[in-house]
Amino acid sequence: MIVYTGTNIDIPVVHKKDPIGMSGAIVKKMMADYLSRGHILYTDNWYTSPALCQFLRDNKTGSCGIVRANRKFMPKFNGNKTRVENPSSSDTPDSIENARPHHERSRKRRKTELFIQNITMLNAYNLWLVKKNIDPSKKPKLREFVYNVAYQLLENLLPTSKVDALTPCQIA
């Protein structure tokens, strides 16, 4: 995570005609330690660009994301509609996505958000196990770890009387 604290941030200066752009420079900075390791980067439409995808591909890193049709350096399509044979969730254009009823888009978006939250929590759990050097036979369950994370977050948000009613799981 790069916290924006003003104009003096540690992102390289990008020229206006550079196809990677400022969003691509941010991705390059944040992914520097993870390139050429076989990871896949998932981006939203603010960061996805052909130049960034090519940069990641050149550095043996996969990429997947939604694109803006009007983004600079995007290939031009003939007409307003693009026909997609057998669209999947990863390659469906925004025009088809926007044709769905709002409740279906919201459900799909929420499902994706929950998936990302679950993966993030699993990664945090695994990193915690490695950092604490916990014996695999004595490691706590993932749900205990998740409960403790939620408990610690609630400690900062709720009045102490409500937090005292909760009890954290005892883990190493």
Side-chain angles (χ1 to χ4, degrees):
M1 177 182 287
I2 299 174
V3 178
Y4 180 74
T5 58
T7 55
N8 297 332
I9 55 176
D10 192 22
I11 302 289
V13 176
V14 179
H15 298 289
K16 193 172 187 174
K17 292 187 179 185
D18 186 1
I20 202 127
M22 179 56 81
S23 61
I26 292 169
V27 172
K28 283 172 67 173
K29 170 76 175 165
M30 293 182 75
M31 289 293 294
D33 296 338
Y34 304 100
L35 296 173
S36 300
R37 293 172 129 185
H39 293 294
I40 299 173
L41 176 67
Y42 291 87
T43 56
D44 66 6
N45 64 5
W46 179 258
Y47 295 96
T48 308
S49 71
L52 177 63
C53 291
Q54 185 62 49
F55 168 80
L56 292 170
R57 183 172 185 246
D58 292 345
N59 286 281
K60 296 179 180 74
T61 303
S63 64
C64 179
I66 299 170
V67 297
R68 295 180 183 184
N70 62 349
R71 183 154 183 144
K72 277 185 185 180
F73 307 107
M74 281 294 293
K76 301 296 180 206
F77 296 101
N78 296 332
N80 293 334
K81 296 181 180 179
T82 303
R83 184 178 176 153
V84 178
E85 298 293 331
N86 300 323
S88 70
S89 61
S90 62
D91 61 3
T92 303
D94 285 338
S95 59
I96 293 174
E97 179 69 20
N98 290 334
R100 292 184 178 163
H102 177 69
H103 67 280
E104 286 184 24
R105 289 193 314 253
S106 296
R107 188 177 334 132
K108 183 177 180 184
R109 188 174 297 122
R110 182 68 182 141
K111 190 175 180 181
T112 303
E113 289 170 359
L114 289 173
F115 174 75
I116 291 171
Q117 288 172 359
N118 288 339
I119 293 297
T120 303
M121 194 57 69
L122 179 62
N123 287 339
Y125 174 70
N126 288 330
L127 285 171
W128 179 79
L129 289 174
V130 169
K131 186 172 182 171
K132 294 286 187 176
N133 199 17
I134 294 176
D135 180 24
S137 64
K138 297 179 182 177
K139 71 179 184 180
K141 294 184 179 182
L142 174 62
R143 74 172 152 244
E144 293 171 351
F145 177 81
V146 172
Y147 182 85
N148 278 309
V149 169
Y151 180 84
Q152 290 173 16
L153 289 171
L154 288 173
E155 279 183 321
N156 297 328
L157 297 174
L158 294 176
T160 52
S161 61
K162 290 188 178 183
V163 174
D164 290 341
L166 302 172
T167 56
C169 293
Q170 298 302 320
I171 59 175

PDB file of all heavy atoms in Angstrom, residues 12 15-16 25 46-47 49 53 82-83 102 110 112 121 123 138 155 157 160 166-167:
ATOM      1  N   PRO A  12       7.720   7.243  -9.710  1.00  0.00           N
ATOM      2  CA  PRO A  12       8.500   7.894 -10.755  1.00  0.00           C
ATOM      3  C   PRO A  12       7.659   8.889 -11.562  1.00  0.00           C
ATOM      4  O   PRO A  12       6.461   8.703 -11.740  1.00  0.00           O
ATOM      5  CB  PRO A  12       8.959   6.745 -11.661  1.00  0.00           C
ATOM      6  CG  PRO A  12       8.585   5.493 -10.965  1.00  0.00           C
ATOM      7  CD  PRO A  12       7.646   5.821  -9.864  1.00  0.00           C
ATOM      8  N   HIS A  15       5.959  10.816 -18.182  1.00  0.00           N
ATOM      9  CA  HIS A  15       5.719  11.792 -19.244  1.00  0.00           C
ATOM     10  C   HIS A  15       4.319  11.603 -19.808  1.00  0.00           C
ATOM     11  O   HIS A  15       3.771  10.502 -19.810  1.00  0.00           O
ATOM     12  CB  HIS A  15       6.767  11.655 -20.349  1.00  0.00           C
ATOM     13  CG  HIS A  15       8.151  11.925 -19.861  1.00  0.00           C
ATOM     14  ND1 HIS A  15       8.575  13.185 -19.520  1.00  0.00           N
ATOM     15  CD2 HIS A  15       9.193  11.095 -19.618  1.00  0.00           C
ATOM     16  CE1 HIS A  15       9.832  13.129 -19.109  1.00  0.00           C
ATOM     17  NE2 HIS A  15      10.223  11.863 -19.156  1.00  0.00           N
ATOM     18  N   LYS A  16       3.761  12.695 -20.299  1.00  0.00           N
ATOM     19  CA  LYS A  16       2.369  12.681 -20.769  1.00  0.00           C
ATOM     20  C   LYS A  16       2.140  11.675 -21.901  1.00  0.00           C
ATOM     21  O   LYS A  16       1.090  11.061 -21.988  1.00  0.00           O
ATOM     22  CB  LYS A  16       1.974  14.081 -21.219  1.00  0.00           C
ATOM     23  CG  LYS A  16       0.503  14.265 -21.425  1.00  0.00           C
ATOM     24  CD  LYS A  16       0.164  15.711 -21.672  1.00  0.00           C
ATOM     25  CE  LYS A  16      -1.339  15.873 -21.698  1.00  0.00           C
ATOM     26  NZ  LYS A  16      -1.725  17.269 -21.795  1.00  0.00           N
ATOM     27  N   ALA A  25       2.502   3.436 -13.563  1.00  0.00           N
ATOM     28  CA  ALA A  25       3.714   3.672 -12.772  1.00  0.00           C
ATOM     29  C   ALA A  25       3.503   3.247 -11.321  1.00  0.00           C
ATOM     30  O   ALA A  25       4.395   2.689 -10.686  1.00  0.00           O
ATOM     31  CB  ALA A  25       4.112   5.146 -12.843  1.00  0.00           C
ATOM     32  N   TRP A  46      -9.409   1.453 -13.675  1.00  0.00           N
ATOM     33  CA  TRP A  46      -8.528   2.616 -13.530  1.00  0.00           C
ATOM     34  C   TRP A  46      -7.081   2.237 -13.871  1.00  0.00           C
ATOM     35  O   TRP A  46      -6.325   3.031 -14.408  1.00  0.00           O
ATOM     36  CB  TRP A  46      -8.602   3.162 -12.107  1.00  0.00           C
ATOM     37  CG  TRP A  46      -7.699   4.330 -11.889  1.00  0.00           C
ATOM     38  CD1 TRP A  46      -6.492   4.333 -11.262  1.00  0.00           C
ATOM     39  CD2 TRP A  46      -7.918   5.678 -12.334  1.00  0.00           C
ATOM     40  NE1 TRP A  46      -5.945   5.585 -11.271  1.00  0.00           N
ATOM     41  CE2 TRP A  46      -6.810   6.433 -11.926  1.00  0.00           C
ATOM     42  CE3 TRP A  46      -8.943   6.300 -13.030  1.00  0.00           C
ATOM     43  CZ2 TRP A  46      -6.693   7.786 -12.187  1.00  0.00           C
ATOM     44  CZ3 TRP A  46      -8.826   7.658 -13.283  1.00  0.00           C
ATOM     45  CH2 TRP A  46      -7.720   8.382 -12.862  1.00  0.00           C
ATOM     46  N   TYR A  47      -6.681   1.015 -13.564  1.00  0.00           N
ATOM     47  CA  TYR A  47      -5.290   0.600 -13.736  1.00  0.00           C
ATOM     48  C   TYR A  47      -5.039  -0.221 -15.000  1.00  0.00           C
ATOM     49  O   TYR A  47      -3.921  -0.293 -15.469  1.00  0.00           O
ATOM     50  CB  TYR A  47      -4.833  -0.207 -12.510  1.00  0.00           C
ATOM     51  CG  TYR A  47      -4.805   0.624 -11.266  1.00  0.00           C
ATOM     52  CD1 TYR A  47      -5.879   0.620 -10.385  1.00  0.00           C
ATOM     53  CD2 TYR A  47      -3.727   1.439 -10.982  1.00  0.00           C
ATOM     54  CE1 TYR A  47      -5.864   1.402  -9.245  1.00  0.00           C
ATOM     55  CE2 TYR A  47      -3.702   2.230  -9.852  1.00  0.00           C
ATOM     56  CZ  TYR A  47      -4.779   2.210  -8.981  1.00  0.00           C
ATOM     57  OH  TYR A  47      -4.768   2.987  -7.869  1.00  0.00           O
ATOM     58  N   SER A  49      -4.521  -1.307 -18.630  1.00  0.00           N
ATOM     59  CA  SER A  49      -4.208  -0.688 -19.922  1.00  0.00           C
ATOM     60  C   SER A  49      -3.389  -1.682 -20.733  1.00  0.00           C
ATOM     61  O   SER A  49      -2.718  -2.550 -20.169  1.00  0.00           O
ATOM     62  CB  SER A  49      -3.420   0.614 -19.734  1.00  0.00           C
ATOM     63  OG  SER A  49      -2.108   0.343 -19.300  1.00  0.00           O
ATOM     64  N   CYS A  53      -0.420  -4.214 -19.271  1.00  0.00           N
ATOM     65  CA  CYS A  53      -0.524  -5.669 -19.475  1.00  0.00           C
ATOM     66  C   CYS A  53       0.702  -6.200 -20.213  1.00  0.00           C
ATOM     67  O   CYS A  53       1.218  -7.266 -19.880  1.00  0.00           O
ATOM     68  CB  CYS A  53      -1.803  -6.002 -20.233  1.00  0.00           C
ATOM     69  SG  CYS A  53      -3.288  -5.721 -19.253  1.00  0.00           S
ATOM     70  N   THR A  82     -19.526  -5.115 -29.621  1.00  0.00           N
ATOM     71  CA  THR A  82     -18.536  -6.150 -29.886  1.00  0.00           C
ATOM     72  C   THR A  82     -19.186  -7.485 -29.566  1.00  0.00           C
ATOM     73  O   THR A  82     -19.720  -7.675 -28.491  1.00  0.00           O
ATOM     74  CB  THR A  82     -17.299  -5.951 -28.988  1.00  0.00           C
ATOM     75  OG1 THR A  82     -16.779  -4.659 -29.214  1.00  0.00           O
ATOM     76  CG2 THR A  82     -16.245  -6.989 -29.282  1.00  0.00           C
ATOM     77  N   ARG A  83     -19.139  -8.398 -30.519  1.00  0.00           N
ATOM     78  CA  ARG A  83     -19.717  -9.713 -30.292  1.00  0.00           C
ATOM     79  C   ARG A  83     -18.676 -10.609 -29.647  1.00  0.00           C
ATOM     80  O   ARG A  83     -17.552 -10.722 -30.099  1.00  0.00           O
ATOM     81  CB  ARG A  83     -20.174 -10.312 -31.619  1.00  0.00           C
ATOM     82  CG  ARG A  83     -20.858 -11.620 -31.432  1.00  0.00           C
ATOM     83  CD  ARG A  83     -21.332 -12.178 -32.729  1.00  0.00           C
ATOM     84  NE  ARG A  83     -21.894 -13.481 -32.447  1.00  0.00           N
ATOM     85  CZ  ARG A  83     -22.811 -14.044 -33.167  1.00  0.00           C
ATOM     86  NH1 ARG A  83     -23.279 -13.436 -34.215  1.00  0.00           N
ATOM     87  NH2 ARG A  83     -23.258 -15.228 -32.857  1.00  0.00           N
ATOM     88  N   HIS A 102     -29.594  -4.515 -12.522  1.00  0.00           N
ATOM     89  CA  HIS A 102     -28.746  -3.991 -11.450  1.00  0.00           C
ATOM     90  C   HIS A 102     -28.540  -5.006 -10.323  1.00  0.00           C
ATOM     91  O   HIS A 102     -27.428  -5.163  -9.817  1.00  0.00           O
ATOM     92  CB  HIS A 102     -29.341  -2.701 -10.892  1.00  0.00           C
ATOM     93  CG  HIS A 102     -28.573  -2.152  -9.741  1.00  0.00           C
ATOM     94  ND1 HIS A 102     -27.315  -1.624  -9.894  1.00  0.00           N
ATOM     95  CD2 HIS A 102     -28.854  -2.093  -8.419  1.00  0.00           C
ATOM     96  CE1 HIS A 102     -26.851  -1.244  -8.712  1.00  0.00           C
ATOM     97  NE2 HIS A 102     -27.772  -1.513  -7.803  1.00  0.00           N
ATOM     98  N   ARG A 110     -20.706  -8.350  -5.220  1.00  0.00           N
ATOM     99  CA  ARG A 110     -20.591  -8.734  -3.811  1.00  0.00           C
ATOM    100  C   ARG A 110     -19.895 -10.093  -3.672  1.00  0.00           C
ATOM    101  O   ARG A 110     -19.068 -10.288  -2.780  1.00  0.00           O
ATOM    102  CB  ARG A 110     -21.989  -8.778  -3.163  1.00  0.00           C
ATOM    103  CG  ARG A 110     -21.967  -9.110  -1.711  1.00  0.00           C
ATOM    104  CD  ARG A 110     -21.346  -7.995  -0.906  1.00  0.00           C
ATOM    105  NE  ARG A 110     -21.292  -8.375   0.488  1.00  0.00           N
ATOM    106  CZ  ARG A 110     -20.293  -8.094   1.285  1.00  0.00           C
ATOM    107  NH1 ARG A 110     -19.293  -7.382   0.858  1.00  0.00           N
ATOM    108  NH2 ARG A 110     -20.297  -8.482   2.529  1.00  0.00           N
ATOM    109  N   THR A 112     -17.711 -11.321  -5.728  1.00  0.00           N
ATOM    110  CA  THR A 112     -16.301 -11.077  -6.018  1.00  0.00           C
ATOM    111  C   THR A 112     -15.611 -10.445  -4.820  1.00  0.00           C
ATOM    112  O   THR A 112     -14.499 -10.825  -4.454  1.00  0.00           O
ATOM    113  CB  THR A 112     -16.153 -10.171  -7.253  1.00  0.00           C
ATOM    114  OG1 THR A 112     -16.816 -10.792  -8.356  1.00  0.00           O
ATOM    115  CG2 THR A 112     -14.696  -9.932  -7.602  1.00  0.00           C
ATOM    116  N   MET A 121      -7.744 -12.838   3.669  1.00  0.00           N
ATOM    117  CA  MET A 121      -7.674 -13.359   5.037  1.00  0.00           C
ATOM    118  C   MET A 121      -6.833 -14.642   5.082  1.00  0.00           C
ATOM    119  O   MET A 121      -6.043 -14.839   6.010  1.00  0.00           O
ATOM    120  CB  MET A 121      -9.082 -13.613   5.570  1.00  0.00           C
ATOM    121  CG  MET A 121      -9.130 -13.826   7.053  1.00  0.00           C
ATOM    122  SD  MET A 121      -8.443 -12.493   8.062  1.00  0.00           S
ATOM    123  CE  MET A 121      -9.621 -11.208   7.805  1.00  0.00           C
ATOM    124  N   ASN A 123      -4.369 -15.419   3.049  1.00  0.00           N
ATOM    125  CA  ASN A 123      -2.974 -15.011   2.897  1.00  0.00           C
ATOM    126  C   ASN A 123      -2.431 -14.432   4.203  1.00  0.00           C
ATOM    127  O   ASN A 123      -1.298 -14.716   4.586  1.00  0.00           O
ATOM    128  CB  ASN A 123      -2.832 -13.999   1.758  1.00  0.00           C
ATOM    129  CG  ASN A 123      -2.991 -14.629   0.402  1.00  0.00           C
ATOM    130  OD1 ASN A 123      -2.831 -15.829   0.245  1.00  0.00           O
ATOM    131  ND2 ASN A 123      -3.317 -13.825  -0.595  1.00  0.00           N
ATOM    132  N   LYS A 138       0.040 -27.742  15.961  1.00  0.00           N
ATOM    133  CA  LYS A 138      -0.589 -26.930  16.998  1.00  0.00           C
ATOM    134  C   LYS A 138      -1.190 -25.634  16.461  1.00  0.00           C
ATOM    135  O   LYS A 138      -1.568 -24.770  17.240  1.00  0.00           O
ATOM    136  CB  LYS A 138       0.438 -26.589  18.074  1.00  0.00           C
ATOM    137  CG  LYS A 138       0.976 -27.797  18.805  1.00  0.00           C
ATOM    138  CD  LYS A 138       2.004 -27.398  19.828  1.00  0.00           C
ATOM    139  CE  LYS A 138       2.562 -28.640  20.502  1.00  0.00           C
ATOM    140  NZ  LYS A 138       3.619 -28.314  21.455  1.00  0.00           N
ATOM    141  N   GLU A 155     -12.563  -3.633  18.344  1.00  0.00           N
ATOM    142  CA  GLU A 155     -12.058  -2.935  19.524  1.00  0.00           C
ATOM    143  C   GLU A 155     -11.869  -1.454  19.252  1.00  0.00           C
ATOM    144  O   GLU A 155     -12.092  -0.626  20.128  1.00  0.00           O
ATOM    145  CB  GLU A 155     -10.721  -3.529  19.981  1.00  0.00           C
ATOM    146  CG  GLU A 155     -10.832  -4.772  20.798  1.00  0.00           C
ATOM    147  CD  GLU A 155      -9.468  -5.254  21.260  1.00  0.00           C
ATOM    148  OE1 GLU A 155      -8.498  -5.170  20.490  1.00  0.00           O
ATOM    149  OE2 GLU A 155      -9.391  -5.713  22.411  1.00  0.00           O
ATOM    150  N   LEU A 157     -13.544   0.266  16.911  1.00  0.00           N
ATOM    151  CA  LEU A 157     -14.745   0.899  16.376  1.00  0.00           C
ATOM    152  C   LEU A 157     -15.893   0.992  17.366  1.00  0.00           C
ATOM    153  O   LEU A 157     -16.678   1.933  17.328  1.00  0.00           O
ATOM    154  CB  LEU A 157     -15.214   0.139  15.133  1.00  0.00           C
ATOM    155  CG  LEU A 157     -14.250   0.125  13.943  1.00  0.00           C
ATOM    156  CD1 LEU A 157     -14.777  -0.786  12.860  1.00  0.00           C
ATOM    157  CD2 LEU A 157     -14.033   1.519  13.411  1.00  0.00           C
ATOM    158  N   THR A 160     -16.280   0.450  24.460  1.00  0.00           N
ATOM    159  CA  THR A 160     -15.668  -0.652  25.211  1.00  0.00           C
ATOM    160  C   THR A 160     -16.695  -1.561  25.862  1.00  0.00           C
ATOM    161  O   THR A 160     -16.451  -2.756  26.021  1.00  0.00           O
ATOM    162  CB  THR A 160     -14.717  -0.106  26.298  1.00  0.00           C
ATOM    163  OG1 THR A 160     -15.426   0.858  27.076  1.00  0.00           O
ATOM    164  CG2 THR A 160     -13.498   0.519  25.681  1.00  0.00           C
ATOM    165  N   LEU A 166     -17.788  -9.324  23.982  1.00  0.00           N
ATOM    166  CA  LEU A 166     -17.194 -10.301  23.089  1.00  0.00           C
ATOM    167  C   LEU A 166     -15.975 -10.927  23.756  1.00  0.00           C
ATOM    168  O   LEU A 166     -15.333 -10.316  24.606  1.00  0.00           O
ATOM    169  CB  LEU A 166     -16.741  -9.615  21.786  1.00  0.00           C
ATOM    170  CG  LEU A 166     -17.821  -8.878  21.000  1.00  0.00           C
ATOM    171  CD1 LEU A 166     -17.169  -8.111  19.855  1.00  0.00           C
ATOM    172  CD2 LEU A 166     -18.831  -9.853  20.453  1.00  0.00           C
ATOM    173  N   THR A 167     -15.662 -12.135  23.371  1.00  0.00           N
ATOM    174  CA  THR A 167     -14.467 -12.774  23.906  1.00  0.00           C
ATOM    175  C   THR A 167     -13.598 -13.251  22.749  1.00  0.00           C
ATOM    176  O   THR A 167     -14.073 -13.974  21.875  1.00  0.00           O
ATOM    177  CB  THR A 167     -14.821 -13.987  24.797  1.00  0.00           C
ATOM    178  OG1 THR A 167     -15.618 -14.882  24.036  1.00  0.00           O
ATOM    179  CG2 THR A 167     -15.550 -13.542  26.045  1.00  0.00           C
TER     180      THR A 167
END
